[in-house]
């Protein structure tokens, strides 16, 4: 009996907060999709140095030694897992949480040494390069350098609300040369995991009522997976020809000072998780390294990472943000699926109410 009143009060409170926020923060209008496409970033493809990968297709690394991955670990998120805020290694000396951080780090090192020596986890990677060209907001992959036969395509979204009145509207497809550019381009793809064996290990600790080590093991597996993604990206840049001159420290790698990006389906720049299926099919991820996707497109084992490699020097991360009904219709048509399905997966990005017959986005 109290539910209707409670829901009404919550909605009223959220509406008050929304109105208050929008009253303080000037909002740039949501652009029509055609206009957003006209405001794509300007890239001089005639002056762009495009690396030619040393191989095409998929390379599989089976049973990668964990010792080779550990140097690439970013430990800061590990402490965040335990709700200890601070950047490693400074957090170790923090006057407030330093002692707790040191104890936690020492425990982590002991367990990590055990995991390595007893080979309790297994790490694998599948990655490679493919001839590619941009077609509108899509990235089309081809079977070979003739670019005459399509292998698959990734469907990208475009910003419709730029950061300022004169800012460009980005799409990841902007960082791949189009057929009109007269250039031959490539894209990379990867899937890695360091979580093979984690379920058995966690179950062992939980059977001993050792929840601390169970959580620690999962946290370490996550760190190893991210470290393997970093290591594999380094290998990919070198195989692409532009990474040979790099001389970055691990801290430089963490700060992404290298050329190129590796966004994943689900990232703000490509928020549609269903694109993971295309990536997994491309790399034969389940067959090659034992990673599967759930119905909600989460990866199993959870300590896994996937994504695409963009090698353009100007490639950058960004958030697509809110999109209008016109882009959703266009995207559904490009993917060959229903509006309902697109709206389901992109609900946080919709600038309109799918239940309404008309868009509620701000008009120009």
């Amino acid at each position: 009996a109290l539910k209707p009143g409670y829901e009404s009060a919550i909605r009223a409170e959220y509406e008050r907060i929304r109105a208050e926020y929008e009253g303080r923060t000037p909002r740039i209008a949501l652009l029509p999709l055609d206009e957003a496409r006209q405001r794509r970033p300007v890239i001089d493809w005639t002056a762009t140095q495009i690396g030619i990968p040393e191989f095409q297709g998929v390379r599989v690394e089976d049973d990668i030694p964990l010792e080779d991955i550990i140097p690439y670990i970013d430990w800061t998120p590990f402490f965040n897992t335990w709700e200890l805020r601070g950047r490693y290694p400074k957090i170790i000396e923090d006057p407030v949480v330093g002692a707790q951080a040191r104890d936690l780090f020492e425990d982590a090192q002991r367990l990590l040494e055990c995991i390595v020596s007893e080979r309790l986890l297994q790490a694998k990677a599948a990655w490679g390069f493919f001839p590619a060209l941009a077609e509108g907001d899509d990235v089309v992959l081809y079977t070979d350098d003739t670019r005459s036969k399509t292998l698959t395509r990734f469907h990208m979204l475009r910003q419709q609300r730029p950061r300022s009145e004169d800012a460009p509207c980005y799409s990841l497809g902007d960082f791949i040369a189009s057929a009109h550019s007269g250039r031959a381009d490539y894209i990379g793809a990867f899937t890695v995991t360091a979580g093979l064996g984690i379920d058995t290990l966690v179950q062992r600790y939980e059977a001993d009522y050792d929840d601390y080590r169970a959580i620690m093991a999962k946290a370490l597996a996550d760190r190893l997976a991210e470290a393997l993604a970093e290591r594999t990206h380094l290998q990919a840049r070198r195989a692409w020809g532009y990474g040979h001159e790099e001389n970055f420290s691990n801290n430089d790698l963490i700060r992404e000072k290298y050329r190129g990006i590796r966004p994943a389906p689900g990232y703000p720049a490509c928020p549609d998780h269903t694109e993971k299926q295309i990536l997994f099919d491309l790399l034969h991820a389940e067959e090659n390294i034992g990673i599967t996707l759930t119905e909600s497109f989460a990866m199993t084992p959870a300590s896994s990472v996937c994504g695409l490699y963009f090698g353009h020097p100007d490639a950058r991360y960004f958030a697509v943000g809110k999109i209008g009904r016109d882009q959703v219709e266009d995207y559904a048509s490009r993917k060959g699926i229903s509006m309902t399905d697109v709206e389901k997966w992109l609900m946080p990005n919709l600038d309109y109410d799918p239940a309404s017959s008309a868009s509620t986005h701000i008009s120009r």
Side-chain angles (χ1 to χ4, degrees), residues 127-206:
W127 56 283
F129 303 101
F130 307 88
L133 290 172
E135 185 179 285
D137 291 339
D138 289 349
V139 177
V140 183
L141 281 62
Y142 299 92
T143 56
D144 55 46
D145 274 325
T146 65
R147 291 170 174 76
S148 58
K149 185 177 179 181
T150 297
L151 177 62
T152 191
R153 71 171 59 211
F154 290 96
H155 312 86
M156 304 303 181
L157 291 161
R158 181 171 299 279
Q159 291 176 320
Q160 288 186 263
R161 178 169 285 134
R163 295 177 64 88
S164 64
E165 290 291 347
D166 56 354
C169 295
Y170 287 96
S171 170
L172 285 175
D174 297 333
F175 305 125
I176 298 292
S178 70
H180 303 296
S181 71
R183 303 297 303 277
D185 209 347
Y186 300 86
I187 194 169
F190 73 96
T191 56
V192 302
T193 183
L196 297 168
I198 188 62
D199 289 342
T200 300
L201 183 57
V202 168
Q203 288 168 8
R204 188 174 95 184
Y205 291 138
E206 289 178 341

Side-chain angles (χ1 to χ4, degrees), residues 19-54:
E20 185 177 288
Y21 173 80
E22 292 179 353
R24 290 197 318 263
T25 308
R27 298 183 72 196
I28 297 172
L30 197 75
L31 301 177
L33 179 58
D34 288 345
E35 187 172 341
R37 284 173 169 163
Q38 292 170 13
R39 288 177 57 169
R40 69 180 64 235
V42 177
I43 293 178
D44 183 2
W45 286 102
T46 61
T48 298
Q49 292 183 339
I50 297 177
I52 300 177
E54 64 184 30

Side-chain angles (χ1 to χ4, degrees), residues 265-282:
Y267 267 41
C270 46
D272 182 3
H273 283 274
T274 69
E275 293 286 294
K276 278 185 200 157
Q277 189 64 65
I278 301 171
L279 178 62
F280 270 55
D281 291 343
L282 175 68

Side-chain angles (χ1 to χ4, degrees), residues 55-178:
F55 73 94
Q56 293 181 23
V58 183
R59 175 175 290 176
V60 178
E61 294 184 75
D62 195 40
D63 201 12
I64 302 167
L66 298 182
E67 307 93 293
D68 295 350
I69 304 170
I70 290 172
Y72 297 93
I73 291 179
D74 176 6
W75 285 102
T76 297
F78 170 80
F79 293 102
N80 292 341
T81 299
W82 300 89
E83 298 186 356
L84 295 179
R85 305 304 175 195
R87 190 174 285 276
Y88 177 82
K90 290 183 178 180
I91 191 173
I92 299 297
E93 305 301 328
D94 187 271
V96 178
V97 300
Q100 187 178 357
R102 283 193 297 275
D103 290 343
L104 188 67
F105 189 64
E106 289 171 2
D107 289 344
Q109 297 308 303
R110 282 191 289 270
L111 181 55
L112 187 56
E113 183 179 346
C114 176
I115 288 172
V116 171
S117 63
E118 298 183 22
R119 300 176 61 83
L120 299 176
L121 295 178
Q122 192 176 22
K124 297 185 178 185
W127 56 283
F129 303 101
F130 307 88
L133 290 172
E135 185 179 285
D137 291 339
D138 289 349
V139 177
V140 183
L141 281 62
Y142 299 92
T143 56
D144 55 46
D145 274 325
T146 65
R147 291 170 174 76
S148 58
K149 185 177 179 181
T150 297
L151 177 62
T152 191
R153 71 171 59 211
F154 290 96
H155 312 86
M156 304 303 181
L157 291 161
R158 181 171 299 279
Q159 291 176 320
Q160 288 186 263
R161 178 169 285 134
R163 295 177 64 88
S164 64
E165 290 291 347
D166 56 354
C169 295
Y170 287 96
S171 170
L172 285 175
D174 297 333
F175 305 125
I176 298 292
S178 70

